[in-house]
Amino acid sequence: MKIETNKSLKDYNTFGIDVTAAKFATITSENELKDLLSSNENKPVFVLSGGSNMLLTKNIESLVLHIALKGIEVTKESDNTVLITANAGENWHDFVQYCIHNNFGGLENLSLIPGYVGSAPIQNIGAYGVELKDTLVSCETIHIGTLEKRKFSNKDCLFAYRNSIFKSELKGQYIITRVTFRLTSKNHNINTGYGAIENALSKESITKPTIKNIADVVIDIRKSKLPDPNKIGNSGSFFKNPVIKIDHFNKLQNAYPNIPSYSIDSDHVKVPAGWLIEHSGFKGKRWGDAGVHDKQALVLVNHGSATGIEIVEVSEKIKTTIKEKFDIELETEVNIF
Ligand code: EPU
């Protein structure tokens, strides 16, 4: 297998940050992965999947493993369900389109999310009322140090809002090689709960949506708000939506009667960080090539040749202002290296 040296990672991260990898290997089989890990003798490795949820702030000195394992397998489970296993290097959106094309339901609300199948469980990707954890059955992994294979069930993954065991307790320890989902092959559970989906369907007078209708509507909504990483570098939502106490929210609502919120439990609500950032005057702002998207303030963007550090500086300005103005601490959703 070829190991490249001093390779630019600009085309391997959706923020389009131009840092280099001292050593870079593209992994196309599990055997290659095991061989490389064992010859690397437990030195640190940097696992690179679709590069869609990371911000690179410096050159990577450790061996970069670009996980490009391909392949999809389907087994019929019952009259209504299939088990579908995708290798980690499959492009997420292409995989979702494959499911829609074969009339397998469950992932349609997660259309057009950048990245690969293998990184989707790490932050439990979610959009328009659906999260990965709703259909994931298991993740197959290899331990970076011992090379032991381990299968994590849905429960083992400890999924939470934009979080999992792979982003917390076991961070950096396992490489996800395959992910299995349980999808419907008929009687699909169509999820139109998210306001924007309902509005778009009624505009088109669709009363009994198919999974393809949902996917198409989600694609349109995302295209209208979120920048295409092939045109403007970004990693989707840069921050998580914060959860705050009701008392705190009530005070904010007195000052800002239009502040949106989603109920969490009797003591807490979630507030959209995009709204907080927009109402602090950051939407569409730009410092050199680093800035805030003009249609979705939760998305930080690289207009061309911003460095990772410059994007971090923008994020720090936003965090400080949101703390001062709303007394809320924003938590970063993107992994910063
Ligand atoms: N809003 C503003 N200004 C903005 C952006 C949003 O006022 O600039 C308001 C909207 O008007 C709306 C609310 O904030 O009232 C929520 O906005 P939106 O529906 O766009 O969703 P979001 O909370 O900003 C979350 C996810 C997205 C996901 C969408 C749709 C997080 C961190 N982000 O964004 O996920 O696509 O909901 O489900 O939970 C991602 O994780 O990378 C991502 C894009």
Side-chain angles (χ1 to χ4, degrees):
M1 182 200 337
K2 196 172 131 210
I3 297 193
E4 297 170 77
T5 52
N6 275 328
K7 187 174 173 72
S8 167
L9 296 179
K10 189 170 168 57
D11 294 338
Y12 292 87
N13 69 99
T14 58
F15 250 123
I17 304 291
D18 195 5
V19 295
T20 57
K23 288 184 288 170
F24 180 97
T26 299
I27 307 292
T28 56
S29 76
E30 276 190 33
N31 283 340
E32 262 180 4
L33 178 58
K34 282 188 173 166
D35 288 350
L36 252 186
L37 286 174
S38 53
S39 62
N40 193 50
E41 295 167 337
N42 265 332
K43 288 196 283 279
V45 291
F46 184 95
V47 182
L48 179 64
S49 184
S52 60
N53 198 40
M54 56 168 56
L55 178 61
L56 299 170
T57 61
K58 52 183 180 294
N59 292 335
I60 310 291
E61 301 305 335
S62 46
L63 171 65
V64 172
L65 301 176
H66 179 230
I67 309 297
L69 302 164
K70 302 280 186 201
I72 296 174
E73 266 171 47
V74 184
T75 37
K76 187 167 187 258
E77 191 189 32
S78 73
D79 262 5
N80 278 332
T81 57
V82 290
L83 290 177
I84 178 161
T85 301
N87 284 338
E90 288 289 338
N91 173 281
W92 174 261
H93 179 64
D94 292 347
F95 172 61
V96 174
Q97 284 289 300
Y98 169 93
C99 294
I100 303 230
H101 185 74
N102 286 283
N103 194 32
F104 302 146
L107 301 178
E108 52 283 355
N109 296 52
L110 303 178
S111 294
L112 211 63
I113 296 183
Y116 288 2
V117 166
S119 49
I122 300 176
Q123 89 254 28
N124 179 28
I125 57 170
Y128 308 104
V130 171
E131 287 184 325
L132 192 82
K133 71 169 174 56
D134 303 334
T135 49
L136 183 140
V137 175
S138 60
C139 293
E140 288 166 58
T141 67
I142 291 182
H143 189 274
I144 291 177
T146 65
L147 306 190
E148 236 171 282
K149 282 188 165 198
R150 177 169 168 194
K151 197 180 217 177
F152 289 77
S153 69
N154 183 307
K155 216 167 151 208
D156 297 335
C157 293
L158 302 183
F159 286 124
Y161 167 58
R162 294 296 188 280
N163 207 355
S164 76
I165 198 163
F166 305 111
K167 206 177 166 184
S168 52
E169 280 166 54
L170 300 182
K171 188 172 178 174
Q173 295 193 32
Y174 287 89
I175 295 178
I176 296 174
T177 52
R178 284 152 71 80
V179 186
T180 299
F181 302 87
R182 176 174 291 112
L183 302 182
T184 47
S185 51
K186 50 175 137 147
N187 304 331
H188 303 302
N189 299 312
I190 301 288
N191 191 325
T192 57
Y194 206 86
I197 294 190
E198 257 176 302
N199 293 344
L201 290 171
S202 74
K203 242 189 218 160
E204 293 183 36
S205 312
I206 299 172
T207 48
K208 280 195 177 158
T210 62
I211 55 172
K212 178 156 189 325
N213 292 145
I214 300 287
D216 290 347
V217 158
V218 167
I219 290 169
D220 284 349
I221 299 171
R222 288 189 77 95
K223 279 188 176 162
S224 71
K225 284 193 177 179
L226 298 167
D228 176 353
N230 292 318
K231 296 186 183 131
I232 303 177
N234 75 93
S235 267
S237 304
F238 197 86
F239 302 102
K240 290 186 187 180
N241 284 330
V243 173
I244 59 171
K245 291 240 168 81
I246 291 273
D247 297 350
H248 185 175
F249 180 72
N250 290 341
K251 278 190 207 140
L252 290 177
Q253 209 175 23
N254 283 336
Y256 308 95
N258 296 328
I259 183 170
S261 67
Y262 315 105
S263 172
I264 295 287
D265 58 36
S266 53
D267 290 331
H268 298 90
V269 293
K270 196 184 260 186
V271 180
W275 188 94
L276 300 172
I277 299 169
E278 175 171 350
H279 288 80
S280 304
F282 284 104
K283 197 169 185 171
K285 277 266 170 74
R286 177 172 177 168
W287 295 263
D289 273 350
V292 180
H293 189 48
D294 57 356
K295 298 195 185 71
Q296 223 305 2
L298 192 47
V299 179
L300 302 193
V301 289
N302 172 10
H303 287 285
S305 52
T307 63
I309 303 276
E310 285 166 340
I311 304 277
V312 170
E313 282 167 3
V314 171
S315 81
E316 291 300 328
K317 278 195 233 290
I318 292 174
K319 275 186 171 175
T320 308
T321 306
I322 300 294
K323 175 71 186 153
E324 283 168 6
K325 195 170 158 79
F326 301 105
D327 194 20
I328 293 178
E329 311 242 3
L330 285 185
E331 206 185 311
T332 303
E333 202 256 298
V334 167
N335 295 302
I336 300 177
F337 295 99

